[in-house]
Amino acid sequence: MARFIVFGFNENGECGRGDYKQKSTITKVQNITDVIDVSAGKNHTNILRSTGEVLVTGSNMFGELRTK
């Protein structure tokens, strides 16, 4: 099982932890498992799971999360 660990400013929730608190140390994200790939921009993160599910977190100011 792949782990998903994060750190960073997290102003827009881009760390995917459900909060906006800065992560200055590496932190494991709970409830996100089977991660096979991750891509990130300045204010967002895309997470690909082995099931084919794609999770997106962070800012959507410019439509980068593709929620529509």
Side-chain angles (χ1 to χ4, degrees), residues 10-30:
N10 200 37
E11 180 179 32
N12 299 288
E14 58 270 27
C15 286
R17 293 181 44 90
D19 63 30
Y20 299 95
K21 296 177 184 173
Q22 183 174 351
K23 307 296 178 223
S24 58
T25 59
I26 294 174
T27 306
K28 181 179 178 186
V29 177
Q30 302 295 328

Side-chain angles (χ1 to χ4, degrees), residues 33-49:
T33 59
D34 303 319
V35 175
I36 60 173
D37 200 8
V38 175
S39 66
K42 181 179 177 184
N43 296 313
H44 69 282
T45 304
N46 303 308
I47 306 152
L48 176 61
R49 299 178 69 193

Side-chain angles (χ1 to χ4, degrees), residues 50-66:
S50 62
T51 61
E53 178 182 27
V54 176
L55 306 173
V56 292
T57 64
S59 171
N60 194 33
M61 181 179 285
F62 302 105
E64 59 269 46
L65 302 185
R66 295 284 192 199

